[in-house]
Amino acid sequence: MGPLPWKSEMKEKINQLLNDVYADAFSAAHREALFTAIDRSKSLITQQRKQGWDESDVVLITYADQFHHAEQKPLAIFNQFYQKWFKSVFSHVHLLPFCPWSSDDGFSVIDYHRVAPESGDWNDIAELKRQTKLMFDFVCNHMSAKSEWFNNYLQQKPGFENFFIEMDPETDLSAVTRPRALPLLTPFTLSDGSVRHLWTTFSEDQIDLNYACPEVLLAMVDVLLHYLLQGADYIRLDAVGFMWKTPGTSCIHLEKTHLLIKLFRAIADAVAPGTVIITETNVPHKDNISYLGNGSDEAHMVYQFSLPPLVLHSVHSQDATALCRWAQSLTLPSDKTTWFNFLASHDGVGLNPLRGILPEDDILQLVDKLQQQGALVNWKNNPDGSRSPYEINVTYMDALSRQDDSDDERLARFTLAHAILLTFPGVPAVYIQSIMGSRNDYAGVEKLGYNRAINRQKYDAAEIEQQLSASGSLRSRAYHILSQLIVLRRQHKAFHPDSQFTIQTLNPSVLLITRTANDGEEITALFNISDKEQHVDANVQGGFDLINKHAVMDTSVTLRPWQVTWIKKQ
């Protein structure tokens, strides 16, 4: 089978984007190499991807080496674990970086084209693909200092001399946005003995790629095409906001970064229509949603980074006003885009997305309250020399808890928070530590030496299965409650990501959300975000409470502390 025919407008769009980014620096030879690679990939992809999204789409976030066994590699074990525990619950699996890596639990990639041999191989990924849809990380901003590409640069091999960003350390870089309290430039010695200072946004082991070099773009498009060939339905662009650097600017959200994302999108649309591009930008809300572009040319989804800390703020203050006010402002540029919603992830709960929504004093109060309950905090340096809390490191179970809580109290708040997640417009994603009811892993922090380890625990497969099977345990109860909620959500068109959404507070502690599908199905969700019983009037008489399984006969509804209801209009 030869290459599928190009739509002329697709080729023109890619060419125009190349012109806008590179002008004459992207030569005819570069273009020929790029389009040859695209043609080859188009000819090899035979499986059609789902077009768009619906209420059945719920994503499980996990590491490839999440579970261990003495006789099998982790990916093979995960396939078995998924088949037993998660296949009936989730539609997609987001496999966090599974390539060979040297630090940051996979986000310092040594070789984009291989599966880490200690985890498994591409056959294991293919086996998982037969059970579910897949989401891959495209770690596009940086790569490992232990990689072959970087070694080629250090050895001054032809073709690699511009792969990374050299910078005179005397350059004024004070305007650069810093996500970490670490040096921006790191010195390295080349084979001829000369020292070069290279751009390292995240750590000295994560060397930023130089997209101003056309060879870098070709190499990274080759990675993208490989992931499409291996079956990725969703592509997550990690730390993508930092991708283009221009000294004298903030070096985040630059115009050419947006153009590169549009280029990745155009290539994915040409090669594997239906592939969803998701941008990961842990930044204030206004900047985050800019990655949706005009609604048809950039990201299909953006991570809804403001949701996790706003839910925590609501629970801890027992006041949903700020959450409601923010949610009322949510707008999308088109029905070809939506939100990627989550509460917990492999990273901490980001605080930058709260800025501009909550006063700084409220953010600091939330940080202080969570620290008192055992959470850890990462900090960032500001251009004026001060520092600010950047993220809270904690499992979401413990983020919602007080240290003296009973399991019943923990689970009530945990259930309420996840019901909010599942009710919001967009595609929801649930971190594996959450559905397994995990608590803070302080031993992991001590062993590994960084705060994010608190929510990245790996498990012996037999031991965790035993715990999940232990009736009445916190893990078992969390798994069953959350699984039941997800399955229930997936059965109702009112929860389609694009269905109509309205939100209001009946009082500061009671949130009311209404979702209405195109076919008229309507579900009213009531959330008591407080530790006190609430009596409210809502127009839900004659409906049926899907969660608590009873008819609602009156306009007056009584909600127990932390209770949630999904009332379907009959």
Side-chain angles (χ1 to χ4, degrees), residues 7 28 40 48 63 99 153 156 174-175 190 217 284 297 310 324 366 378 394 504 533 539:
K7 290 186 177 179
R40 177 181 177 277
Q48 289 190 338
Y63 283 100
C99 299
Y153 166 82
Q156 298 177 283
S174 59
L190 275 57
L217 179 75
D297 67 343
L310 276 172
C324 180
L366 177 63
N378 279 337
V394 63
Q504 61 181 299
E533 189 171 85
N539 186 25

Side-chain angles (χ1 to χ4, degrees), residues 394-525:
V394 63
T395 65
Y396 217 78
M397 177 73 79
D398 279 329
L400 295 163
S401 302
R402 295 175 295 229
Q403 289 181 340
D404 58 352
D405 277 344
S406 67
D407 282 353
D408 286 347
E409 291 171 313
R410 284 193 178 88
L411 281 169
R413 284 194 287 274
F414 179 84
T415 302
L416 175 128
H418 284 86
I420 292 174
L421 167 70
L422 295 169
T423 306
F424 258 64
V427 172
V430 176
Y431 187 37
I432 196 164
Q433 304 289 357
S434 294
I435 197 167
M436 297 196 307
S438 297
R439 307 290 304 279
N440 289 339
D441 182 19
Y442 295 109
V445 174
E446 184 175 354
K447 177 182 178 182
L448 297 173
Y450 50 87
N451 289 352
R452 286 179 169 178
I454 200 169
N455 195 25
R456 296 182 176 182
Q457 188 174 2
K458 308 297 173 62
Y459 300 96
D460 176 273
E463 290 179 5
I464 195 66
E465 282 212 72
Q466 186 177 33
Q467 292 172 27
L468 286 171
S469 300
S471 179
S473 69
L474 180 63
R475 285 199 187 279
S476 177
R477 293 173 68 190
Y479 166 79
H480 286 289
I481 289 170
L482 191 46
S483 295
Q484 289 163 10
L485 269 182
I486 294 169
V487 169
L488 187 60
R489 184 226 194 244
R490 297 179 67 195
Q491 294 170 350
H492 292 278
K493 291 183 178 179
F495 291 123
H496 189 292
D498 301 340
S499 74
Q500 183 180 342
F501 166 79
T502 62
I503 185 169
Q504 61 181 299
T505 51
L506 300 183
N507 66 48
S509 295
V510 177
L511 190 66
L512 183 152
I513 295 175
T514 302
R515 301 295 308 276
T516 308
N518 288 336
D519 68 358
E521 182 184 64
E522 181 176 297
I523 293 176
T524 298

